[in-house]
Amino acid sequence: MRVKTALFMLVLLSGCVLRGDHLVELRAKTPSGDSFPQALASEYLAYAEARLEEGHPLRADYFAGKGLSALAGESVPLEKKSSLDESREALLAVLTPDIIDIAPARAARAQLMFDCWAEKEGVCKEGFAEALTDLQFIADALVHGEDNRFAMTFAPGVAAIDVHGDAILDIIGRRVAALGEYQVEILPVDKTKKRTNARVLAIEKGLIARGVNAGRIHSHHRSKTGAVSLSTDDRAQGPNSILLSIQTYGQPKESTTP
């Protein structure tokens, strides 16, 4: 009887160790970085820790396992729940390679928010909606910016760049990184000089922070006739808009990839 009890306890303890292996391993790897796999693993690690603290070690270990899969470069599927099929398809439609490349952290956040919503019903629903909206905005910016022309809209009376503006600057920063010769044109629409200057300065600082050569950034005021338009998005040409365009010339940089 004692032998059977001892064996049972050994199996039980070993099972507990196995169930905790994923979280322990993911903690040890301390995922960090700008790539999508690293960002996704980091999101799953934080979520797994939260689930453990809430008293759900098995669920914690399950999501830690998804984080390890992300670090290994494996495809990590979204959770499945029939009542969320429409939202799941909406996210899958926007999680394109371009979006993942341009906005890896935002893409990872959206995936985690969906999985959280699928697992915990109403929890994370609002967070998912916000994350999906952010990704959709980036997708729209890519479509409208196919010819490297973008419109950045500010809140009335505000010069600070919001998350959507950050996304556009991210796109521009990534695109010019592959160019040999280029210039970024900034075309303010607003006639209010003080506010316009503050917005242009915010854009310039944001571009420089993303690796755009300061000497290749040029700002211009719109012509009196209003005939000049660098935006492909007709919805964003009001007084709170600033239009940006990447003018390219010369050849792209030669790739250093063997």
Side-chain angles (χ1 to χ4, degrees), residues 102-103 106 133-139 141-142 150-155 158-174 199 202-210 212 236 240-244:
I102 289 171
R106 290 186 175 97
T133 297
D134 283 344
L135 289 184
Q136 189 60 60
F137 183 90
I138 298 171
L142 283 172
F150 304 90
M152 184 180 298
T153 302
F154 291 77
V158 174
I161 297 173
D162 61 15
V163 294
H164 295 158
D166 277 334
I168 289 177
L169 296 184
D170 287 344
I171 293 171
I172 294 175
R174 285 177 175 268
R199 288 172 172 174
I203 291 173
E204 290 178 346
K205 286 183 176 178
L207 290 172
I208 293 170
R210 288 163 175 79
V212 178
N240 292 302
S241 295
I242 289 184
L243 312 177
L244 297 94

Side-chain angles (χ1 to χ4, degrees), residues 36 75-80 84-100 107 110-111 114-115 128 132 135-136 139:
F36 178 68
S75 175
V76 183
L78 296 169
E79 296 296 296
K80 290 186 178 181
L84 302 184
D85 281 350
E86 187 175 341
S87 295
R88 188 175 190 273
E89 291 303 315
L91 179 56
L92 288 173
V94 79
L95 281 179
T96 63
D98 281 343
I99 293 295
I100 289 174
Q111 177 158 339
F114 179 84
D115 279 0
F128 168 73
L132 181 62
L135 289 184
Q136 189 60 60

Side-chain angles (χ1 to χ4, degrees), residues 22-42:
H22 288 151
L23 184 50
V24 170
E25 186 178 349
L26 187 56
R27 283 172 178 162
K29 292 181 181 296
T30 57
S32 62
D34 298 329
S35 70
F36 178 68
Q38 291 282 345
L40 189 57
S42 180

